[in-house]
């Protein structure tokens, strides 16, 4: 794919003129950083950062069978999501291998809003359409018409509140959503969600308003230390918070049970059968490997694909790695055989022919509530 | 325009003849690509031992930033006679002065010819064409 084939969000010119370095990501040209990746990550932990997430897939599932249908194709119990709440789930194939991971916003039994990864949105849409069967639902791709911005960091509410009319954001709980007027735009979907491990919000509104809302947030947030943040720091932050990224921690060969995502999987009878249930139930009975964190005090940064050794035996590889400004060490994620996936276990990482010792730890590396 | 008192590799190393030695470093363009203008994002530099024999084009070290690792390639073959070991603890020097203080190694070349390398103008054209 050449740069000319990459899709651009409505904020592309804004990013470029802010000095962002643009990179291909999931078929899109997206900002990887505006300044130092480490400084951007610190800013989100200490103040607030603004992210353009216009590349994400946004899908509306509506109709009398919306909830029942989704319960037959996703891992979480959609019918049990309280109205106005959000849950994490995955779409898996029969063998339990995930096609993507999702956020599911339940407005009613007949209206669920689904957020998918940019790179998998077309796959998810096709999969949903292929499995509709007799369900009475309408599946609509809203990705091209909706902007998506995230504000992340302890000052998120302070930065956003002045632009919101008639709604106290303090009333929007974690993993809950509401609709309100933002910058004069009615019915903006506002959720208290994110992918950084910090408090924050995600906003959905018509694309045409992207630049105006972005600039208003930059201006209103200035006194709270707000700055735009690229995908580089976003990757560091989500890894510190132990959140999986499709294509790294999870993919068709790496199931959500071994990835530690059981909170997003329901085996309850009332949910009924769903695609991948039997395969994942079997994995749950006897998992062979487990996703863990590794830390290393060496200067070298764990990178995707670096092999891990227990003595001479190859036991796994790095899924994601980063310099962690929050922990002040280098971190990575990896699948290890269950007998080695124990906090405190030491293993060797092969860095381009040299060995560096690493220590296994439980995920997440960082939790804002459990310090 | 980059300094024309030296030659360049398309992998962004420079080579400068000083007496009978060839001094090797990396260009400002390489530093910028690795760090995007934030020298704090450079995290590690691995340089060889003095006395090691290397071939032209061989990897003699690595430099790592927050986001990527790059090989360091030898512009000429020969013996490594000096290594800028201060550099490993002071990567900011690379951003401040990649042309002089930021040198990496000195090679006693088996053949001092640098005709196979790019001149400043050709290097300039190449990075313009790539980006």
């Amino acid at each position: 794919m050449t740069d000319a084939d990459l899709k651009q969000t409505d904020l592309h010119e804004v990013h470029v003129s802010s000095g962002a370095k643009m990179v291909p990501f999931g078929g899109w040209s997206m900002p990887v950083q505006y300044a130092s990746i480490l400084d951007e990550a610190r800013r989100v932990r200490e103040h607030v950062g603004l992210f353009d997430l216009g590349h994400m897939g946004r899908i509306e599932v509506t109709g009398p069978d919306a909830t029942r249908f989704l319960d037959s194709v996703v891992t979480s119990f959609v019918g049990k999501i309280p109205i106005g709440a959000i849950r994490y789930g995955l779409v898996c194939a029969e063998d339990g291998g995930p096609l993507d991971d999702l956020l599911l916003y339940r407005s009613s039994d007949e209206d669920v809003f689904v957020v998918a990864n940019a790179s998998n949105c077309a796959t998810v849409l096709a999969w949903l359409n292929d499995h509709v069967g007799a369900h009475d639902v309408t599946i609509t791709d809203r990705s091209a018409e909706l902007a998506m911005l995230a504000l992340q960091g302890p000052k998120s509410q302070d930065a956003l509140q002045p632009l919101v009319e008639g709604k106290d954001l303090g009333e929007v709980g974690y993993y809950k959503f509401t609709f309100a007027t933002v910058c004069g735009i009615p019915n903006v979907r506002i959720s208290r969600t994110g992918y950084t491990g910090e408090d924050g919000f995600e906003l959905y509104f018509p694309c045409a308003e992207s630049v105006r809302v972005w600039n208003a947030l930059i201006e209103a947030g200035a006194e709270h230390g707000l700055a735009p943040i690229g995908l580089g720091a976003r990757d560091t932050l989500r890894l510190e918070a132990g959140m999986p990224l499709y294509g790294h921690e999870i993919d068709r060969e790496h199931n959500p049970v071994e990835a530690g995502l059981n909170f997003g999987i329901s085996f309850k009878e009332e949910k009924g059968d769903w695609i991948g249930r039997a395969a994942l139930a079997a994995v749950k009975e006897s998992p062979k490997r487990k996703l863990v964190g590794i830390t290393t005090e060496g200067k070298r940064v764990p990178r995707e694909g670096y092999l891990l050794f227990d003595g001479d035996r190859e036991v796994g590889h790095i899924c994601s790695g980063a310099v962690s400004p929050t922990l002040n060490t280098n971190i990575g994620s990896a699948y290890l055989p269950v007998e080695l996936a124990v906090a405190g276990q030491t293993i060797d990482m092969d860095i381009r022919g040299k060995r560096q010792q690493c220590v296994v730890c439980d995920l997440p590396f960082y939790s804002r509530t459990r310090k | 325009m980059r300094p024309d008192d030296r030659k360049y590799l398309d992998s962004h190393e420079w080579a400068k003849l000083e007496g009978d030695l060839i001094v090797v470093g990396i260009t400002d363009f390489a530093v910028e690509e690795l760090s995007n203008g934030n020298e704090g994002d450079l995290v590690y530099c691995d340089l060889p031992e003095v006395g090691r024999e290397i071939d032209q084009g061989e990897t003699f070290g690595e430099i790592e930033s927050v986001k990527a690792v790059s090989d360091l390639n030898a512009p000429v073959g020969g013996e490594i006679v000096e290594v800028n070991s201060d550099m490993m603890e002071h990567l900011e020097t690379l951003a401040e002065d990649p042309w002089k203080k930021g040198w990496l190694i000195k090679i006693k070349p088996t053949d001092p010819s640098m005709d196979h390398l790019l001149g400043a103008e050709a290097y300039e054209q190449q990075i313009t064409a790539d980006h």
Side-chain angles (χ1 to χ4, degrees):
Chain A
M1 184 178 283
T2 68
D3 284 0
D5 298 325
L6 294 173
K7 288 184 271 189
Q8 299 179 351
T9 74
D10 289 80
L11 289 161
H12 189 267
E13 291 307 318
V14 175
H15 300 321
V16 171
S17 65
S18 312
K21 185 181 173 76
M22 306 300 287
V23 297
F25 183 81
W28 293 73
S29 172
M30 296 300 291
V32 66
Q33 60 191 119
Y34 301 81
S36 152
I37 290 176
L38 300 178
D39 288 347
E40 288 183 9
R42 286 185 197 105
R43 182 180 297 276
V44 172
R45 292 274 178 252
E46 292 163 17
H47 307 285
V48 53
L50 177 62
F51 300 74
D52 176 13
L53 304 178
H55 61 303
M56 299 291 283
R58 275 68 50 81
I59 302 165
E60 238 171 47
V61 181
T62 54
D65 295 334
T67 303
R68 263 189 303 280
F69 164 60
L70 285 168
D71 263 324
S72 72
V73 287
V74 306
T75 56
S76 46
F77 196 164
V78 184
K80 276 284 162 69
I81 304 175
I83 303 297
I86 301 152
R87 291 290 180 271
Y88 176 84
L90 302 98
V91 179
C92 292
E94 284 292 351
D95 65 2
L99 300 164
D100 200 9
D101 61 344
L102 313 167
L103 283 188
L104 299 138
Y105 291 63
R106 186 163 176 251
S107 286
S108 73
D109 268 344
E110 305 191 4
D111 182 352
V112 182
F113 182 77
V114 178
V115 182
N117 282 300
S119 55
N120 294 328
C121 185
T123 309
V124 171
L125 272 169
W127 184 265
L128 295 180
N129 281 307
D130 286 352
H131 293 86
V132 163
H135 291 107
D136 184 1
V137 294
T138 305
I139 299 164
T140 314
D141 182 8
R142 298 285 183 205
S143 310
E145 61 206 71
L146 287 178
M148 177 173 176
L149 301 181
L151 278 161
Q152 299 280 289
K155 300 290 182 192
S156 295
Q157 188 173 320
D158 294 341
L160 179 58
Q161 185 68 67
L163 304 182
V164 179
E165 288 169 42
K167 178 72 74 177
D168 176 2
L169 293 175
E171 292 169 6
V172 183
Y174 185 57
Y175 265 61
K176 300 277 173 50
F177 66 98
T178 189
F179 293 90
T181 299
V182 179
C183 295
I185 306 161
N187 286 316
V188 173
R189 184 187 296 266
I190 307 174
S191 60
R192 198 164 205 132
T193 47
Y195 194 50
T196 62
E198 286 310 315
D199 186 22
F201 298 90
E202 290 174 309
L203 311 178
Y204 305 82
F205 55 87
C207 281
E209 303 282 7
S210 298
V211 175
R212 196 166 66 83
V213 176
W214 178 273
N215 288 336
L217 285 165
I218 293 278
E219 198 181 316
E223 63 176 298
H224 303 291
L226 179 144
I229 309 294
L231 293 180
R234 182 168 158 90
D235 191 49
T236 299
L237 292 160
R238 69 93 193 161
L239 182 60
E240 287 181 341
M243 295 169 159
L245 174 60
Y246 194 92
H248 295 262
E249 285 75 19
I250 46 172
D251 57 28
R252 289 288 279 107
E253 311 302 321
H254 292 87
N255 66 70
V257 172
E258 290 174 336
L261 301 172
N262 285 309
F263 64 86
I265 309 172
S266 171
F267 294 105
K268 287 206 170 75
E269 290 298 326
E270 313 96 274
K271 173 171 160 63
D273 196 16
W274 44 272
I275 302 171
R277 184 183 196 273
L280 291 177
V283 177
K284 201 178 179 200
E285 281 302 304
S286 53
K288 292 187 171 53
R289 57 189 178 184
K290 185 184 170 197
L291 185 69
V292 293
I294 64 144
T295 60
T296 170
E297 287 178 1
K299 284 194 175 181
R300 311 284 326 242
V301 186
R303 308 261 176 211
E304 183 182 357
Y306 284 179
L307 297 179
L308 299 170
F309 290 87
D310 178 33
D312 291 332
R313 182 169 68 113
E314 185 186 321
V315 291
H317 66 265
I318 299 294
C319 300
S320 301
V323 177
S324 166
T326 310
L327 283 79
N328 204 21
T329 187
N330 293 328
I331 60 172
S333 60
Y335 284 94
L336 289 177
V338 286
E339 70 275 13
L340 294 174
V342 182
Q345 170 77 39
T346 56
I347 49 165
D348 284 338
M349 174 169 63
D350 181 280
I351 304 173
R352 300 156 65 98
K354 289 176 190 158
R355 293 285 180 99
Q356 181 165 301
Q357 195 180 71
C358 301
V359 180
V360 173
C361 64
D362 292 326
L363 292 170
F365 297 101
Y366 167 83
S367 164
R368 89 189 123 96
T369 50
R370 200 187 68 213
K371 285 181 178 162
Chain B
M1 186 77 172
R2 270 83 188 174
D4 63 0
D5 60 353
R6 62 197 77 197
K7 298 279 199 166
Y8 297 86
L9 265 72
D10 55 11
S11 51
H12 311 297
E13 293 83 0
W14 54 259
K16 185 179 181 225
L17 189 65
E18 280 186 10
D20 59 350
L21 300 181
I22 285 173
V23 186
V24 181
I26 60 173
T27 68
D28 62 325
F29 182 85
V31 174
E32 172 69 22
E33 281 289 287
L34 276 164
S35 67
N36 203 41
N38 303 286
E39 71 271 10
D41 281 7
L42 294 172
V43 295
Y44 180 79
C45 181
D46 185 39
L47 295 176
E49 299 278 311
V50 169
R52 191 178 132 193
E53 296 279 345
I54 47 165
D55 294 330
Q56 180 190 316
E58 192 181 334
T59 298
F60 67 80
E62 292 170 323
I63 183 156
E64 181 159 10
S65 72
V66 167
K67 61 180 185 201
V69 189
S70 282
D71 284 335
L72 299 167
N73 303 303
V76 295
E79 182 190 350
I80 294 165
V81 293
E82 214 176 317
V83 169
N84 189 356
S85 44
D86 286 352
M87 181 61 56
M88 294 191 253
E89 296 303 320
H90 295 283
L91 290 166
E92 67 277 6
T93 310
L94 270 177
E96 288 159 11
D97 184 6
W99 307 114
K100 200 168 157 74
K101 278 194 282 183
W103 68 277
L104 299 175
I105 58 169
K106 294 183 184 179
I107 302 174
K108 190 179 177 65
T110 33
D111 173 0
S113 164
M114 297 203 290
D115 293 346
H116 60 287
L117 301 173
L118 300 170
E121 201 168 319
Y123 176 68
E124 203 75 20
Q125 281 171 5
Q126 188 224 300
I127 56 178
T128 315
D130 287 355
H131 292 266

